[in-house]
Structures are given as structure tokens and as C-alpha cells.
């Protein structure tokens, strides 16, 4: 199975400052599927809420997601960036790879400094 | 998009439960559906996915042979039949839209304990 490793596991950021979360797949297994697409997605889980998807297929923002959020990367290394952290961004962020069996990263907890 | 999840509860090890997830707000029979779970205080774990017509089904190794995902497109509902439950199956179970979880239900709690 593909193991997704996120770093850091916790992040304390001042309001208005940027944040970055890394996600790497194990054993150098590329997440490029046979159709040429890369099925790497990012999710946000605010305290006490269900997760919601922010980014799909590496860099596509879901509807309603602020453009402060961006995704990038290729092959085995991916990044979620928040350009200016707001109070509403507190929560846990997960990456997920979409090759069976699907696997999630351990999660990165974002808090405000 | 909305989901109405039901069927969770407390069950003894070795017991069974069936979870339901009734969906609305989208054309249900054109989307795959997925179950994802989250143990208390832990991260997310994919459980199972089912294609639009139920032809393609996949399970995590941790539940294969014990859990069965199914759907009834006439009722816009998916199900998760869980047999031979173990303590480690204790979790909040979410139904999600699509293979890539683009919308999530509120979750239903399953507690396996003697």
C-alpha cells in the first residue's frame, strides 16, 4: 500500500502569515495513474466538523474554497499552501492518494500562534 | 448536497450492524460513493467504494471479507453491512460522494465493545 507522509504534523502560524504542508508518497511510488492523471487530494477538518475537500487532483480548488489555498507538486511530492492564514483555517489537514487502496496522510494540525 | 446517515450504535465484538446513507441534491446514480472512517482522536481511513452501477467495488484490507458496501439507486441510498465487528472497528463512519470524497456526511458512530 502507498503510505502518505505529511510534514509537519503540527503547525503554529501567526494570523496573516503563510503556511505550507508537505505530503510525500512512500517508496518513491509515483501517484500518476495509468490515465496520466495524478489523484492527490487535500482535505480540511475543522474542530468538531466533517472533513471537506479543498483541492482535487493536485491543484484544482473545490467550489467555495478561498484562493488563499493552493496545491502543487508532482510524482511523489506535493504541497498545500495557505497564502495568508485566517482564524477559520484552524483544523487538521489531510492529503489522500487515489490509487487503490486509497490512503490518507496522518494529518497536520494547524493552530494560530 | 446532503446526506442522512443512520444505523450506528453500540455492538459487542463479533456482532453486526448496517449503516445507511441517504443522499440528496445531486444525481445519485451518476456518482460512485465511498465510506471513510475515523477512529476516536485518529486520522481518516478509507473503507470501501462502489461505482455508480455497483459493478466496481473495492475494500480496504482491514475490512475485506467482513464488510459489504451496496447501493439502491431507486432510494438514493448506500449501505455498509458490517459483520464480525472488532474493537478496532470503533469509529465515526462517513459516507462521501464520489471516489474522491467531494462531499461528506455528518458521520455515524459505531462503537464495538463488550
Amino acid at each position: 500500500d502507498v503510505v502518505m507522509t505529511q510534514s509537519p504534523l503540527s503547525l503554529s502560524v501567526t494570523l496573516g502569515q503563510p503556511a505550507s504542508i508537505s505530503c510525500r508518497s512512500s517508496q518513491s511510488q509515483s501517484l500518476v495513474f495509468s490515465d496520466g492523471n495524478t489523484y492527490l487530494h487535500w482535505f480540511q477538518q475543522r474542530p468538531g466538523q466533517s472533513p471537506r475537500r479543498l483541492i482535487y487532483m493536485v491543484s484544482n480548488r473545490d467550489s467555495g474554497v478561498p484562493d488563499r489555498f493552493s496545491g502543487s507538486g508532482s510524482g511523489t511530492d506535493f504541497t498545500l499552501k495557505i497564502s495568508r492564514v485566517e482564524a477559520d483555517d484552524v483544523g487538521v489537514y489531510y492529503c489522500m492518494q487515489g490509487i487503490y487502496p486509497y490512503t490518507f496522510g496522518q494529518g497536520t494540525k494547524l493552530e494560530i500562534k | 448536497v446532503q446526506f442522512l446517515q443512520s444505523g450506528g450504535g453500540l455492538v459487542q465484538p463479533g456482532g453486526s450492524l448496517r449503516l445507511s446513507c441517504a443522499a440528496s441534491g445531486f444525481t445519485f446514480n451518476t456518482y460512485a460513493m465511498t465510506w471513510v472512517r475515523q477512529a476516536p482522536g485518529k486520522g481518516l481511513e478509507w473503507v470501501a467504494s462502489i461505482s455508480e452501477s455497483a459493478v466496481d467495488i473495492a475494500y480496504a484490507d482491514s475490512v475485506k471479507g467482513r464488510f459489504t458496501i451496496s447501493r439502491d439507486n431507486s432510494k438514493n441510498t448506500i449501505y455498509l453491512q458490517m459483520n464480525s465487528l472488532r474493537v478496532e472497528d470503533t469509529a465515526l463512519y462517513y459516507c462521501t460522494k464520489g471516489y474522491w470524497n467531494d462531499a461528506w456526511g455528518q458521520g455515524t458512530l459505531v462503537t464495538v465493545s463488550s
Side-chain angles (χ1 to χ4, degrees):
Chain A
D1 297 0
V2 178
V3 175
M4 304 302 292
T5 302
Q6 291 183 224
S7 62
L9 296 184
S10 66
L11 202 48
S12 184
V13 182
T14 301
L15 288 173
Q17 293 302 299
S20 180
I21 300 170
S22 169
C23 177
R24 290 184 171 175
S25 63
S26 64
Q27 301 173 349
S28 300
Q29 288 178 264
S30 171
L31 299 184
V32 180
F33 196 55
S34 54
D35 61 6
N37 291 316
T38 303
Y39 294 100
L40 187 285
H41 319 294
W42 290 95
F43 299 86
Q44 175 196 60
Q45 186 173 31
R46 292 172 173 144
Q49 294 188 13
S50 300
R52 71 157 174 160
R53 198 178 68 185
L54 297 176
I55 302 284
Y56 63 96
M57 291 173 65
V58 180
S59 58
N60 299 280
R61 264 190 310 277
D62 274 281
S63 175
V65 174
D67 60 8
R68 302 182 291 104
F69 291 90
S70 64
S72 63
S74 63
T76 60
D77 292 321
F78 304 90
T79 302
L80 175 71
K81 291 183 179 176
I82 309 173
S83 59
R84 298 172 308 279
V85 169
E86 297 184 359
D88 209 29
D89 300 336
V90 166
V92 181
Y93 293 80
Y94 298 92
C95 61
M96 173 201 148
Q97 64 81 19
I99 298 175
Y100 281 140
Y102 305 152
T103 48
F104 290 87
Q106 320 97 300
T108 295
K109 186 174 185 178
L110 174 67
E111 64 175 21
I112 304 300
K113 193 181 294 183
Chain B
V1 175
Q2 287 188 321
F3 302 99
L4 183 61
Q5 293 191 231
S6 60
L10 174 64
V11 63
Q12 292 188 337
S16 298
L17 275 178
R18 188 174 88 149
L19 307 184
S20 299
C21 171
S24 60
F26 63 100
T27 306
F28 182 77
N29 63 6
T30 65
Y31 284 91
M33 294 291 291
T34 294
W35 289 98
V36 175
R37 68 185 180 183
Q38 186 170 34
K42 302 297 184 183
L44 302 172
E45 180 187 15
W46 170 72
V47 174
S49 294
I50 185 168
S51 65
E52 300 86 328
S53 57
V55 169
D56 294 316
I57 289 176
Y59 298 97
D61 284 346
S62 58
V63 307
K64 200 175 293 182
R66 301 187 297 122
F67 289 13
T68 302
I69 188 173
S70 61
R71 64 190 296 159
D72 184 339
N73 285 346
S74 69
K75 295 182 180 178
N76 285 7
T77 299
I78 63 165
Y79 305 95
L80 187 67
Q81 177 66 44
M82 304 185 295
N83 299 330
S84 303
L85 281 160
R86 304 168 180 168
V87 170
E88 56 265 34
D89 295 319
T90 295
L92 191 58
Y93 284 73
Y94 295 100
C95 64
T96 77
K97 174 173 166 272
Y99 289 113
W100 319 132
N101 313 312
D102 54 279
W104 294 63
Q106 81 279 11
T108 188
L109 183 62
V110 172
T111 303
V112 185
S113 174
S114 55

